[in-house]
Amino acid sequence: MPIQVVISHAHDDEALATRFVGLLRCALPALAGAIRCTSVDGHGLEAGAHTSTELRAELRAARVVVGLLTPHAAQRGWVLFELGAAWGAGVHVIPVVAAGLQLADAPGPLKEVQAVDGANENAVSRMLESIATRTGVLLAGIAAYKVEFQQFVEAASELEDDDD
């Protein structure tokens, strides 16, 4: 199955991205091989791939692009660049604010996109339903992903360290 969900994130947020991929793999098991998240083992690019060429093609072809917006991501341009590219290609973009970034802090044009508060269980549940609908994949019962769900919400709730 081609890549259906691309997760854009700052590499400093690898732990949060790993939690999110774990949640998607358990909640939407049919998507397990169709998730691109470059810093998570098993979901990175193939050896020898030309990074920007491959990611650009996958961003255009994906059904959903999720941007993990944290203080790290807000300080770096790549996540916003990738979300803008996906938006320009007509791909459904879901910004997820986490690690102390607030919905009101979403940068520029992302303020017009309905963002998800990653620390809000109801919002994360609705996001999973939206991803399921947009990819045509069945959402598993909560028992199949309850642990990963809680781990992601907790990780998204944690405030960034100020020692960066």
Side-chain angles (χ1 to χ4, degrees):
M1 174 184 285
I3 297 300
Q4 299 289 305
V5 179
V6 174
I7 301 164
S8 180
H9 65 289
H11 282 277
D12 291 336
D13 296 322
E14 180 180 346
L16 181 64
T18 298
R19 293 278 187 221
F20 189 66
V21 169
L23 172 58
L24 289 181
R25 289 177 60 92
C26 291
L28 300 157
L31 283 180
I35 299 167
R36 174 68 67 225
C37 188
T38 56
S39 64
V40 177
D41 283 343
H43 297 281
L45 294 171
E46 178 181 316
H50 186 263
T51 302
S52 60
T53 301
E54 190 74 22
L55 288 177
R56 184 176 346 174
E58 289 178 352
L59 283 168
R60 281 194 300 251
R63 301 265 184 192
V64 177
V65 175
V66 176
L68 298 179
L69 300 178
T70 67
H72 286 298
Q75 293 173 357
R76 293 160 182 84
W78 279 107
V79 173
L80 302 178
F81 181 76
E82 289 174 352
L83 294 179
W87 176 82
V91 177
H92 187 69
V93 172
I94 302 174
V96 178
V97 295
L101 200 72
Q102 301 297 312
L103 290 171
D105 298 330
L110 285 177
K111 289 182 190 291
E112 292 185 22
V113 178
Q114 293 299 309
V116 172
D117 179 351
N120 180 305
E121 292 183 4
N122 290 331
V124 174
S125 290
R126 287 190 305 274
M127 174 183 57
L128 291 173
E129 292 168 1
S130 176
I131 293 170
T133 299
R134 294 206 172 257
T135 59
V137 171
L138 185 63
L139 181 63
I142 185 67
Y145 62 91
K146 186 174 184 174
V147 170
E148 290 78 8
F149 182 89
Q150 287 301 316
Q151 289 175 341
F152 173 73
V153 170
E154 287 172 18
S157 300
E158 293 176 6
L159 296 178
E160 277 298 312
D161 292 332
D162 291 333
D163 60 2
D164 287 22

